[in-house]
Amino acid sequence: MNLTKNQFKEDYVKRLTLTFAQTTTEASLEHKYLALGKLIRDYISESWAETNNYYTKKKCKQIYYFSMEFLLGRLLNSYLLNLNIRDVVKDGLRDLGIDLDTLLELEPDPALGNGGLGRLAACFMDSLASLGFPGHGCGIRFKHGLFNQKIINGYQKELLNNWLKEDFLWEIKKPEKTVTVRFGGVVNLVNTPNGIEPVYSGCEEIDAVPYDIPILGSNMETVNTLRLFSAELPEEEIDLNGLQKGDYQKFIDKKFAVEAISQILYPDDSSFQGKLLRLKQEYFFVSAGLQTILKRYKKLKESIHKFSDFVGIHINDTHPAIAVGELMRLLLDEEGLDWDSAWDITVKTLAYTNHTILAEAMEKWPYDMFKKTVPRILMIIEEIDRRFCEEVSKKYEEDYSKIDSMRIIYNGEVRMANLAIIGSHSINGVAKIHTEILKNRELHDFYLLYPERFNNKTNGITHRRWLKNANPELYKLVIEKSGPECLNDTNKFINFLKYINDDNVLQTLDKIKFKNKEKVVAFVKNKYNIDINPFSIFDVQVKRLHGYKRQLLNVFNIIYLYNQLKQNPELDIVPRTFFFGAKAAPSYYLAKNIIKLINSVANVINNDPDIRNKIKVVFLENYGVSIAELIIPAGDVSEQISTASKEASGTGNMKFMMNGAVTLATLDGANVEIYDEVGDNNIVIFGLTSQEVMDLEKNRTYNFRDILNSNPDLQKILTQLSDGTFSENKEEFKDILNHIYGEGDPYFVLKDFSAYVEAQNKINTLYENRRGWLQMCLVNIAHSGKFSSDNSIRKYAEDIWHIKEVKRGE
Ligand code: T68
């Protein structure tokens, strides 16, 4: 937008005075921040309304991305950047004696997601709007986002995340757009003059109240909407059942139970627990979202048969897969369509993304729970299942093993992935290798049945948040050197390669990285009172804590290095700082035990004078988007060391690459594609391949003892976990020991250990050659444009959603 500094100052002072009746000298920091936020909201509002009107007027096909999670991160700086007024605002505030960066730190970080899946949804929202696509988000307004992590004596403690304690600046409540969601009760199908209709009795009705957040594109034109629903008790119930009848306790209980639906985000990122409340959450936002979309569609006055020409709905993992049943219900029961027409519309409208092949993450609801909670949906799903079995048995001549593997209701459970696949016209994995595994293994039968539905869409990240916002100096350098065409097309980052032998550019890269490292040094000193060396290699593993992500492999190597240094304090290694950031699901004991181990090892190493600061270990508490924005630009080594075949894609790998880190990786998920881009000389690959892992799993031939018996270094490390080296309590690391000795090292940590140590030595050697290392960084940055979520979204738009970019005024 066009905004002069003087105009901004005038607007800002006015906003502050009108809102808080204060001048800039009297106002508290909090008020200064709020006034700025409200002013920016004003700037966005007009375009927001115009975007919506335009979509309706032109009857644009609109996409709704249904996701249980949106891990947005702070928004103020993104809005300033996307409005292209950050510099004007910064200067204007400085004139008024206010520091913009201080105000930005006051914004709460809305953590409405667990990790990769939720953050991907947020990147996609940004890309949709920035490219001018009509695409919105639909989810839940969790009162409490992902727990805040506190480390106490090395243990993770979970604290309630209360991000809504203060008003959230960016949401607008829309009570007039409330819809009703029905749960439970009994449904009977009754013959009426209009045909068979469901008659409900004894169900519970809940209000889904929308809160809208503007998603502003960097094109400064498009403002899409993220609509999050909050569960409330309908007002009539408050009057009837509550206060007037004097039955106060009943009323309180009911209110509590209803509001519970949008109270808290489940903190499990990769395991499924069949909790009733979770099923309610899923149906709640899906039903609310679909009802809203249908209402909006009616305003277009188009035939319901054309629904999928105007609407596309995306199912982000199986959490919203119940949309298959709910859309069918709305089309059959509310719109009065026949089965075949409703089914045709449903399949054409829906598309599904799979994010995992881990068996323990698959959603399978107990039949009885499903029936009790959403009886009408179950009836419909049973009919979908019946028809599906009929179709398949015709095709495969009663090959029951095929039917059993694919049908929806099986063994007393409702299988949500099967429902999503049968009810969608597109099924995609999130990296090439992941999609191949789906097609050839996990979903092979479905692939044979519907080959045309399967496609790959490799994940991406928005460079606007992960480069422009998080690492502005590097962004400026890339744009300056690679040309303005990069602004609209990150594939042009590749022009940066021209500077591979330009010492000035390499030196500038070095300086930018160093400054970013100094910021982390100051942060760590201030927060943990640990001194770290900005000249050391910053070796970073930040992601959720999970066995398959193998933080344990990383720690084992650190212990190994420690043992080496103890034996030989003169050992010639480049000083290193190992950073970890990771939350563990509260009931995942192994993961929590690994956090304790990292902290115990850190405690010993950081305080051992023999080590002479050659290595340090830092655990960054409460890892989330804001900490990521600090640490990723400072990373030298990006640890992407999952057991091959387990990490569907990973997106942190892309963020580090874009910020000029060198990836140390297994050939898993999108690491494979990063490797293909940068080539053998600009990445360090080690370990078992996916095929090798899958073979070992299939043949059950892996015996960790074979490795252990032949590797005294590993024997020593395992002994140290119970001999008092890292904890006086010799039982302290029993979950980890049980993971190896009891479970047999299911993620092949011991198997890949030697290869990992070797790869780490290679990193050491590579880093010693400063120029060579900087060249590797440059190559990585130049190739990172390929992994922009703009590219992913363009492909979703073209292949799956069939939507076009919208330019207002055309
Ligand atoms: C991640 N999945 C994948 N799940 O692990 C990662 N799960 O490889 C991929 O890059 C990313 O998705 C984006 O595609 C998740 O993050 C969850 O967060 C999750 C949450 C609830 C239940 C199950």
Side-chain angles (χ1 to χ4, degrees), residues 69 114-117 120 268-270 278 319 355 430 459 548 647-651:
E69 307 188 356
N114 272 285
L117 171 146
L120 184 78
D268 302 292
D269 71 323
S270 45
R278 173 81 174 184
H319 321 138
H355 293 265
V430 288
N459 283 164
Y548 84 80
E647 188 70 274
S649 161
T651 43

Side-chain angles (χ1 to χ4, degrees), residues 718-736:
L718 286 173
T719 310
Q720 286 171 311
L721 295 195
S722 57
D723 72 355
T725 311
F726 299 111
S727 168
E728 281 169 21
N729 173 3
K730 301 197 171 153
E731 298 274 282
E732 187 75 83
F733 304 114
K734 67 174 188 322
D735 293 315
I736 296 171

Side-chain angles (χ1 to χ4, degrees), residues 363-380:
E363 290 196 297
K364 295 175 193 154
W365 293 106
Y367 178 92
D368 292 338
M369 181 195 283
F370 207 94
K371 185 168 184 175
K372 253 196 199 148
T373 313
V374 278
R376 177 65 184 138
I377 302 300
L378 183 79
M379 276 182 186
I380 291 171

